[in-house]
Amino acid sequence: MAFIKRNFPTFIYLATLYLTYQILNTLIRIFTSNDILVYAKESSTIFIVFFGIFYFSYILFGVGLLYAGHVISKQSGNYEISLIILNILTTFSTLTTIILKFSGAQMPRFLLSTTFFIILTTISLATTSKLLQLRTKQIDNK
């Protein structure tokens, strides 16, 4: 019983990370499927609106889950080291995708999914990290 009580916050945080990961994977599968890509080519304006709704919903939900998991599990610190690594990967994968797209080269399907995953994860963690820094500053000022 003591083991569960002592590690309960960590279990909550791991469950939060897993849930966020599953939601992100579902979004990636939806927006990289052939049907959606064909639809995006046919009606880009509607696709942008549809994607925007899902994008902002995921960011709000993902940040909420990550922040709540971090606070409930009483984790200290923020995600700055992870963000340094993710920013490097984001820049690389985004530039690679853009260069391949504009060169007319065949873009590997995994590259689009990977870029999508890295960008959304980076945005979620950056926002959560900033909120955690603000929370720490607010607690220190009291």
Side-chain angles (χ1 to χ4, degrees):
M1 185 67 166
F3 174 78
I4 292 173
K5 190 174 186 177
R6 183 172 20 107
N7 292 306
F8 186 70
T10 304
F11 295 140
I12 289 173
Y13 190 64
L14 290 174
T16 300
L17 288 175
Y18 178 75
L19 181 59
T20 305
Y21 176 75
Q22 289 301 324
I23 293 168
L24 181 58
N25 271 339
T26 301
L27 281 176
I28 289 170
R29 269 185 267 133
I30 290 170
F31 284 100
T32 58
S33 72
N34 286 333
D35 294 338
I36 289 292
L37 295 176
V38 167
Y39 183 71
K41 193 178 268 188
E42 291 174 2
S43 179
S44 59
T45 304
I46 293 173
F47 174 80
I48 290 169
V49 170
F50 183 62
F51 180 73
I53 291 168
F54 276 97
Y55 172 79
F56 288 110
S57 297
Y58 171 76
I59 296 300
L60 288 173
F61 190 72
V63 168
L65 280 176
L66 289 170
Y67 184 81
H70 197 92
V71 171
I72 290 171
S73 64
K74 299 176 183 158
Q75 300 283 326
S76 60
N78 51 47
Y79 298 104
E80 292 302 316
I81 301 296
S82 301
L83 285 173
I84 291 169
I85 295 166
L86 280 172
N87 282 329
I88 292 168
L89 292 174
T90 299
T91 303
F92 174 77
S93 66
T94 303
L95 290 175
T96 303
T97 301
I98 290 169
I99 291 167
L100 286 175
K101 179 66 180 163
F102 282 112
S103 72
Q106 182 68 26
M107 186 166 42
R109 188 158 189 80
F110 77 89
L111 182 62
L112 181 60
S113 299
T114 303
T115 301
F116 201 110
F117 175 79
I118 292 171
I119 289 171
L120 287 176
T121 302
T122 302
I123 295 297
S124 296
L125 284 179
T127 305
T128 303
S129 182
K130 192 60 174 173
L131 289 172
L132 290 170
Q133 288 172 6
L134 292 172
R135 181 178 182 269
T136 301
K137 196 179 290 186
Q138 184 181 28
I139 290 172
D140 290 344
N141 287 336
K142 284 186 179 183

